[in-house]
């Protein structure tokens, strides 16, 4: 949770005790690269280089302050109407031309984008590299870091508390599960099938709702053969690619050799929203709920 280090006494008090009602500037933040970034005053113009940062920024109420987003940003709808600054290879000149007070970068691309980030810094723009989140605690840390950098710490605290409370409630409900189900989660369809192993949000979510990840012995986003899931013999199959691949359930049902899998026999195949189960941000809780309703519909009724 403590991803940000303070550079003055007032900031120390906020880090070590309760956050003050009003965010104070200047603030010093130790970002994901280990660099301490000092922000003199509340940013009025912010550019986000990755969708997860953008979602968090909007949740913090920074719609007016966001003046540039990546080509991949798709949520909330207001983000799709913001000026685009490029994809993984962001347009440095365009960002400099916008004259932002703050750029929210991300650790997942900080190495490959180092030259561009250095150019932004050399242009006098403050750049904070947000940590790459692999679990819920990492996500809370990301939200806190963005909130501190943007002077919205009180709102950030509320978002994190709400997420923790909602997740605790879902875990409490999971105690009603009488028989644990084995779940196969497919994040990319044939011919190149990928699943979610250890170290992914999906694995954490399944654990939270007392379900067993069929691919729990694998690590990260793992590629498997079409025969491998048959050996796992899952009770439920969950796909996450319905937003770009038509009729995912029918695709699974049509596979040769899968007809004897319990999930296929009973047609327990569901599609959940990919962003909600993979993108670090407030909507992860919605992802847990979607997954829970798919796996245990009787326990997690709306």
């Amino acid at each position: 949770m403590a991803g940000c280090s303070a550079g003055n006494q007032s900031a120390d008090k906020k880090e070590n005790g309760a956050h003050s009602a009003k965010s104070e500037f200047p603030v010093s933040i130790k970002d994901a690269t280990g660099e301490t970034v000092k922000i003199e005053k509340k940013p009025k113009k912010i550019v986000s280089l990755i969708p997860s940062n953008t979602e968090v920024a909007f949740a913090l109420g920074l719609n007016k302050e966001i003046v540039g987003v990546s080509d991949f940003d798709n949520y909330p709808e207001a983000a799709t109407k913001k000026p685009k600054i490029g994809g993984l290879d962001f347009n440095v000149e365009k960002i400099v031309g916008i004259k932002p007070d703050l750029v929210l970068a991300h650790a997942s691309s900080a190495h490959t984008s180092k030259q561009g980030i250095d150019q932004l810094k050399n242009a006098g723009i403050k750049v904070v590299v947000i940590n790459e989140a692999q679990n819920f605690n990492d996500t809370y840390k990301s939200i806190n870091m963005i909130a501190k950098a943007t002077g919205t710490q009180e709102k950030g605290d509320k978002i994190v508390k709400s997420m923790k409370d909602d997740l605790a409630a879902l875990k409490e409900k999971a105690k009603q599960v009488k028989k644990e189900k084995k779940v196969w989660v497919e994040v990319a369809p044939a011919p190149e099938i990928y699943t979610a192993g250890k170290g992914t949000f999906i694995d954490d979510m399944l654990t939270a709702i007392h379900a067993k990840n069929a691919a729990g012995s694998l690590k990260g986003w793992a590629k498997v053969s079409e025969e491998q899931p048959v050996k796992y013999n899952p009770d439920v199959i969950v796909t996450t690619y319905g937003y770009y691949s038509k009729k995912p359930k029918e695709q699974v049902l049509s596979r040769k050799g899968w007809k004897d899998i319990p999930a296929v026999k009973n047609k327990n195949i569901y599609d959940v929203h990919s962003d909600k189960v993979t993108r670090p941000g407030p909507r992860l809780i919605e992802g847990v709920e979607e997954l829970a309703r798919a796996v245990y519909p009787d326990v997690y009724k709306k």
Side-chain angles (χ1 to χ4, degrees), residues 154-216:
E154 187 176 11
K155 179 66 174 176
D157 288 345
K158 288 180 180 178
I159 290 173
V160 169
K161 184 181 185 305
S162 176
M163 290 180 71
K164 288 181 176 180
D165 290 347
D166 290 346
L167 183 59
L170 289 166
K171 287 181 176 180
E172 183 64 28
K173 211 165 189 178
K175 292 179 181 179
Q176 298 175 32
V177 173
K178 295 178 181 179
K179 185 179 179 182
E180 182 185 64
K181 291 183 180 180
K182 187 189 293 184
V183 184
W184 166 256
V185 180
E186 195 167 288
V187 298
E192 294 194 347
I193 298 176
Y194 278 83
T195 190
K198 287 286 183 187
T200 64
F201 283 110
I202 290 171
D203 186 69
D204 281 355
M205 290 174 176
L206 290 172
T207 300
I209 63 170
H210 287 193
K212 183 178 181 180
N213 185 358

Side-chain angles (χ1 to χ4, degrees), residues 217-239:
S217 61
L218 305 178
K219 291 183 180 181
W221 307 108
K223 184 180 178 180
V224 299
S225 67
E226 194 167 308
E227 293 73 33
Q228 187 61 43
V230 178
K231 297 176 183 177
Y232 291 140
N233 209 36
D235 303 300
V236 180
I237 293 173
V238 174
T239 60

